Amino acid sequence: MGDMTDHQAMPETTRSSAATARADQQEALKQKVQHLMIAVESILRARPAGISELDLIRALQAPPWELLETVDFSSPERLYPVHFLTFHALYRLRDDIGGQGEQLSISPLLIRLGPGQGSPATSALAESDKLRAFYLDLDQYALSEQTVSQMMDDFWAGRSGRQPAAGEVSDAAVTLGFDRVPDHFEEVKYRFRRAVMQAHPDRGGRTEDVQALNEAFGVLRVYYVTRDT
C-alpha cells in the first residue's frame, strides 16, 4: 500500500512543480510587460510624430532598454512573440492613459501618442475592441509556431474572402522578384525571406519596402491556401 501511495504522490509532486514553474514564468512575464510599458511610453513621448512598429521594436532592443530579443523579420511565426508583447504593452498603456486627455493610436505603420480626439466610428471601435481583447490576453503569447502559421493562413484567407484575382497574384509574384507565379509555395517563402533581409531598414532599406513585401507574401499565401483546398 505504501508503494502505491508513493507512486500516486509522484505525479502530484510533478504537477505541483509544473504549476509553480508556470506561475514563476507568468510573474516574470508580467514584470517584463511593466518594463515594456515604461519604455514604450518614454519612446513615444520622445517621438511625437509617431513611430512604426519595426522602429519601436528596434528601439526596445537597443540601449538603454534592451527588453526584446533579436527578431527574425523574415519569419512571421518567430516574429510573433515579440510583436505580441509589443502590442500587449501598447494596449495596456492605452488603457492607462485613456482618462488623461491623451490618445494612443496603434497600427503597425504608425504608433503615436498625442492629444485625445473624438470617438472613432462604431465599426472601427468594434474592430479595435476585438484587437484589444486579443492582445490583452497573455495566454495568446505562448502559441506554437504551427498555430501562428495557421492563424496567418486564416487571416489572409479571411481578409479577402475569395481567391485573389489573377492580376493580384501576378503583381505579388513580381514584387517578390519572380517572372511568373511559382508552382510551389516553398519557392515563395524562400524568396520572401531573402527579399525581406535585403530590404530591411537595418541594411539600408525602407519600412515601406518591407510592408510591400509582406503584402505580396500575404496575397500569394492566400492564393496557395485557396488553390489547394
Short mmCIF file of all heavy atoms in Angstrom, two decimals, residues 28 55 63 66 77 92-93 114 120 134 143 148 177 180 184 186-187 193 205 207 214 218-219 221:
data_model
loop_
_atom_site.label_atom_id
_atom_site.label_comp_id
_atom_site.label_asym_id
_atom_site.label_seq_id
_atom_site.Cartn_x
_atom_site.Cartn_y
_atom_site.Cartn_z
N ALA A 28 7.27 36.58 -14.15
CA ALA A 28 8.38 37.19 -14.87
C ALA A 28 7.88 37.92 -16.11
O ALA A 28 8.36 39.02 -16.44
CB ALA A 28 9.40 36.12 -15.26
N ASP A 55 10.38 50.18 -36.05
CA ASP A 55 11.29 51.11 -35.39
C ASP A 55 11.13 51.04 -33.86
O ASP A 55 12.11 51.18 -33.12
CB ASP A 55 11.05 52.54 -35.87
CG ASP A 55 11.59 52.77 -37.27
OD1 ASP A 55 12.47 51.98 -37.70
OD2 ASP A 55 11.13 53.71 -37.94
N PRO A 63 20.07 49.83 -26.32
CA PRO A 63 20.26 50.51 -25.04
C PRO A 63 19.50 51.82 -25.04
O PRO A 63 19.33 52.43 -26.10
CB PRO A 63 21.78 50.75 -25.00
CG PRO A 63 22.36 49.74 -25.95
CD PRO A 63 21.33 49.58 -27.03
N GLU A 66 16.91 47.45 -24.02
CA GLU A 66 17.31 46.05 -24.23
C GLU A 66 16.30 45.07 -23.63
O GLU A 66 16.65 44.15 -22.90
CB GLU A 66 18.71 45.82 -23.67
CG GLU A 66 19.77 46.68 -24.33
CD GLU A 66 21.16 46.44 -23.76
OE1 GLU A 66 21.28 46.22 -22.54
OE2 GLU A 66 22.12 46.47 -24.54
N GLU A 77 6.22 33.55 -37.99
CA GLU A 77 5.98 32.71 -36.83
C GLU A 77 6.94 33.05 -35.69
O GLU A 77 6.55 33.04 -34.51
CB GLU A 77 6.12 31.23 -37.21
CG GLU A 77 5.03 30.72 -38.14
CD GLU A 77 5.31 31.06 -39.61
OE1 GLU A 77 6.41 31.60 -39.89
OE2 GLU A 77 4.44 30.80 -40.45
N ARG A 92 -2.10 47.97 -23.11
CA ARG A 92 -2.12 48.24 -21.67
C ARG A 92 -1.88 49.72 -21.41
O ARG A 92 -2.56 50.35 -20.58
CB ARG A 92 -1.04 47.40 -20.97
CG ARG A 92 -1.33 45.91 -20.86
CD ARG A 92 -2.23 45.61 -19.68
NE ARG A 92 -1.66 46.08 -18.43
CZ ARG A 92 -0.77 45.40 -17.70
NH1 ARG A 92 -0.36 44.20 -18.10
NH2 ARG A 92 -0.31 45.89 -16.58
N LEU A 93 -0.90 50.28 -22.12
CA LEU A 93 -0.58 51.70 -21.96
C LEU A 93 -1.75 52.57 -22.41
O LEU A 93 -2.08 53.56 -21.76
CB LEU A 93 0.68 52.04 -22.77
CG LEU A 93 1.14 53.50 -22.73
CD1 LEU A 93 1.48 53.93 -21.32
CD2 LEU A 93 2.34 53.69 -23.66
N GLY A 114 -0.70 61.20 -28.60
CA GLY A 114 -0.97 62.61 -28.76
C GLY A 114 -2.22 63.02 -28.01
O GLY A 114 -2.81 62.24 -27.26
N PRO A 120 -14.02 57.16 -32.22
CA PRO A 120 -13.99 56.58 -33.55
C PRO A 120 -15.37 56.08 -33.95
O PRO A 120 -16.26 55.95 -33.11
CB PRO A 120 -13.00 55.40 -33.39
CG PRO A 120 -13.08 55.05 -31.94
CD PRO A 120 -13.33 56.35 -31.23
N PHE A 134 -7.80 40.55 -27.83
CA PHE A 134 -6.79 39.55 -28.21
C PHE A 134 -5.44 39.87 -27.58
O PHE A 134 -4.82 39.01 -26.95
CB PHE A 134 -6.67 39.50 -29.73
CG PHE A 134 -5.59 38.55 -30.21
CD1 PHE A 134 -5.85 37.20 -30.32
CD2 PHE A 134 -4.32 39.01 -30.53
CE1 PHE A 134 -4.86 36.32 -30.76
CE2 PHE A 134 -3.34 38.15 -30.96
CZ PHE A 134 -3.61 36.80 -31.08
N LEU A 143 1.65 30.84 -28.11
CA LEU A 143 1.15 29.99 -29.17
C LEU A 143 2.30 29.31 -29.89
O LEU A 143 3.38 29.87 -30.04
CB LEU A 143 0.35 30.83 -30.18
CG LEU A 143 -0.90 31.54 -29.63
CD1 LEU A 143 -1.57 32.32 -30.75
CD2 LEU A 143 -1.88 30.55 -29.04
N VAL A 148 0.47 29.74 -34.97
CA VAL A 148 0.64 31.07 -35.56
C VAL A 148 0.58 31.00 -37.08
O VAL A 148 -0.04 31.84 -37.73
CB VAL A 148 1.98 31.70 -35.11
CG1 VAL A 148 2.23 33.01 -35.83
CG2 VAL A 148 1.98 31.92 -33.60
N GLY A 177 10.01 39.39 -56.95
CA GLY A 177 11.12 39.15 -57.86
C GLY A 177 10.96 37.98 -58.81
O GLY A 177 11.93 37.57 -59.46
N ARG A 180 7.13 34.85 -63.03
CA ARG A 180 5.82 34.23 -63.12
C ARG A 180 5.45 33.68 -61.74
O ARG A 180 6.30 33.62 -60.85
CB ARG A 180 5.81 33.09 -64.14
CG ARG A 180 6.80 31.97 -63.82
CD ARG A 180 6.73 30.83 -64.80
NE ARG A 180 7.67 29.78 -64.42
CZ ARG A 180 7.43 28.84 -63.50
NH1 ARG A 180 6.27 28.87 -62.85
NH2 ARG A 180 8.32 27.92 -63.21
N HIS A 184 5.08 26.22 -56.50
CA HIS A 184 5.00 25.77 -55.11
C HIS A 184 5.24 26.94 -54.14
O HIS A 184 6.08 27.81 -54.39
CB HIS A 184 6.03 24.66 -54.84
CG HIS A 184 5.89 23.49 -55.78
ND1 HIS A 184 4.85 22.61 -55.72
CD2 HIS A 184 6.68 23.10 -56.82
CE1 HIS A 184 4.98 21.70 -56.67
NE2 HIS A 184 6.08 21.97 -57.35
N GLU A 186 6.70 26.86 -51.30
CA GLU A 186 8.04 26.83 -50.71
C GLU A 186 8.98 27.79 -51.42
O GLU A 186 9.84 28.42 -50.79
CB GLU A 186 8.60 25.40 -50.74
CG GLU A 186 7.94 24.44 -49.78
CD GLU A 186 8.07 24.90 -48.33
OE1 GLU A 186 9.15 25.38 -47.95
OE2 GLU A 186 7.08 24.81 -47.59
N GLU A 187 8.82 27.92 -52.75
CA GLU A 187 9.64 28.87 -53.50
C GLU A 187 9.36 30.30 -53.06
O GLU A 187 10.28 31.13 -52.96
CB GLU A 187 9.36 28.73 -55.00
CG GLU A 187 9.69 27.37 -55.59
CD GLU A 187 9.28 27.29 -57.05
OE1 GLU A 187 9.87 28.03 -57.88
OE2 GLU A 187 8.38 26.50 -57.37
N ARG A 193 11.92 35.47 -47.72
CA ARG A 193 12.92 35.64 -46.65
C ARG A 193 14.13 36.40 -47.16
O ARG A 193 14.66 37.30 -46.49
CB ARG A 193 13.31 34.29 -46.07
CG ARG A 193 12.21 33.63 -45.26
CD ARG A 193 12.74 32.41 -44.50
NE ARG A 193 11.71 31.85 -43.65
CZ ARG A 193 10.93 30.81 -43.97
NH1 ARG A 193 11.09 30.23 -45.16
NH2 ARG A 193 10.02 30.35 -43.15
N GLY A 205 17.44 49.56 -46.29
CA GLY A 205 16.13 49.55 -46.94
C GLY A 205 15.14 50.46 -46.23
O GLY A 205 15.49 51.23 -45.34
N THR A 207 11.07 50.86 -44.43
CA THR A 207 9.95 50.16 -43.82
C THR A 207 8.85 49.91 -44.85
O THR A 207 8.22 48.85 -44.85
CB THR A 207 9.38 50.99 -42.65
OG1 THR A 207 10.39 51.16 -41.66
CG2 THR A 207 8.18 50.30 -42.02
N ASN A 214 5.56 42.15 -47.41
CA ASN A 214 4.62 41.43 -46.55
C ASN A 214 3.26 41.31 -47.22
O ASN A 214 2.61 40.26 -47.16
CB ASN A 214 4.47 42.14 -45.20
CG ASN A 214 5.62 41.85 -44.25
OD1 ASN A 214 6.18 40.76 -44.26
ND2 ASN A 214 5.98 42.82 -43.44
N GLY A 218 1.44 37.90 -48.40
CA GLY A 218 0.10 37.57 -47.94
C GLY A 218 -0.83 37.20 -49.09
O GLY A 218 -1.62 36.26 -48.97
N VAL A 219 -0.76 37.94 -50.20
CA VAL A 219 -1.59 37.62 -51.37
C VAL A 219 -1.25 36.23 -51.90
O VAL A 219 -2.15 35.43 -52.20
CB VAL A 219 -1.39 38.68 -52.48
CG1 VAL A 219 -2.05 38.23 -53.78
CG2 VAL A 219 -1.96 40.02 -52.05
N ARG A 221 0.17 33.80 -50.24
CA ARG A 221 -0.19 32.80 -49.24
C ARG A 221 -1.66 32.38 -49.41
O ARG A 221 -1.98 31.19 -49.45
CB ARG A 221 0.04 33.34 -47.82
CG ARG A 221 -0.34 32.35 -46.73
CD ARG A 221 -0.37 33.04 -45.37
NE ARG A 221 0.96 33.28 -44.85
CZ ARG A 221 1.64 32.43 -44.08
NH1 ARG A 221 1.10 31.27 -43.76
NH2 ARG A 221 2.83 32.74 -43.62
#
